[in-house]
């Protein structure tokens, strides 16, 4: 029976699953965004978020613990130097999963998982935040009156000449 075994086994043996999640975590750290199936993305989120939390405290012990999971010194270096400085003030939720639809071949749900602080499109401030001016009927005639006044005077002057 599966009592208290809540994580997704992904149809793999324990060693295969560990190796796959390690490789996916390394790719996510290096590339900041990867495309995969939804189930793998959810499993990867549970795998990589504690490692990012651990990287906030840059000690020898935390580096050894993270290296035990990742087994890639370049990924560990990038995690502790770049990523940990960007997420230092964030209390959690370092990754985002966005669904992409289904894969044509086997109808698997696809998604991409990305590091939240590295998405340029989501990081930009929206232009709607700019102050909108209120239009009123009273303001419009005042703005047009100085422009129309010389034109009206010229028209009256031409009529006078024509007479």
């Amino acid at each position: 029976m599966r009592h208290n075994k809540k994580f997704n086994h992904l149809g793999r043996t324990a060693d295969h699953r560990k190796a796959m999640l390690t490789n996916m975590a390394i790719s996510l750290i290096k590339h900041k965004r990867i495309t995969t199936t939804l189930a793998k993305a959810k499993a990867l989120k549970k795998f990589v978020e504690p490692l990012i939390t651990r990287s906030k405290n840059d000690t020898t012990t935390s580096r050894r613990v993270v290296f035990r999971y990742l087994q890639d010194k370049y990924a560990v270096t990038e995690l502790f130097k770049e990523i940990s400085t960007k997420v230092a003030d964030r209390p959690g939720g370092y990754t985002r999963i966005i669904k992409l639809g289904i894969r044509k071949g086997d109808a698997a749900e696809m998604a991409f998982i990305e590091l939240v602080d590295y998405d340029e499109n989501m990081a930009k401030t929206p232009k709607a935040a700019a102050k909108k001016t209120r239009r009123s009927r009273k303001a419009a005639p005042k703005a047009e009156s100085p422009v129309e006044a010389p034109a009206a005077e010229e028209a009256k002057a031409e009529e006078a000449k024509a007479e």
Side-chain angles (χ1 to χ4, degrees), residues 79-98:
L79 181 63
F80 276 87
K81 294 224 173 166
E82 271 188 51
I83 297 173
S84 66
T85 56
K86 271 207 163 184
V87 301
D89 58 340
R90 185 177 290 275
Y94 312 110
T95 57
R96 174 188 300 128
I97 297 174
I98 298 178

Side-chain angles (χ1 to χ4, degrees), residues 109-156:
E109 285 188 87
M110 296 300 289
F112 66 77
I113 182 170
E114 65 184 357
L115 295 174
V116 172
D117 295 319
Y118 284 90
D119 187 17
E120 296 83 22
N121 297 331
M122 300 279 190
K124 293 180 182 175
T125 57
K127 293 182 180 178
K131 183 179 178 185
K132 293 184 179 180
T133 58
R134 198 186 106 204
R135 297 180 185 177
S136 69
R137 293 179 183 259
K138 294 178 185 175
K142 288 181 184 175
E144 294 175 8
S145 60
V147 176
E148 291 178 2
E153 290 176 10
E154 289 175 358
K156 287 180 184 177

Side-chain angles (χ1 to χ4, degrees), residues 22-89:
T22 298
N23 287 331
M24 289 173 66
I26 291 168
S27 296
L28 180 65
I29 289 167
K30 286 183 178 178
H31 301 292
K32 312 301 188 261
R33 172 190 285 182
I34 58 172
T35 304
T36 183
T37 63
L38 184 61
K40 287 179 187 175
K42 288 179 178 179
L44 179 62
K45 185 172 187 161
K46 287 185 175 183
F47 183 82
V48 79
E49 292 222 359
L51 299 180
I52 296 173
T53 303
R54 178 72 70 157
S55 72
K56 288 177 164 185
N57 185 13
D58 191 4
T59 60
T60 306
T61 305
S62 59
R63 279 184 180 264
R64 285 178 179 164
V65 169
V66 171
F67 185 76
R68 191 172 67 215
Y69 284 94
L70 293 181
Q71 294 293 317
D72 185 348
K73 63 182 179 180
Y74 300 111
V76 171
T77 302
E78 184 155 347
L79 181 63
F80 276 87
K81 294 224 173 166
E82 271 188 51
I83 297 173
S84 66
T85 56
K86 271 207 163 184
V87 301
D89 58 340

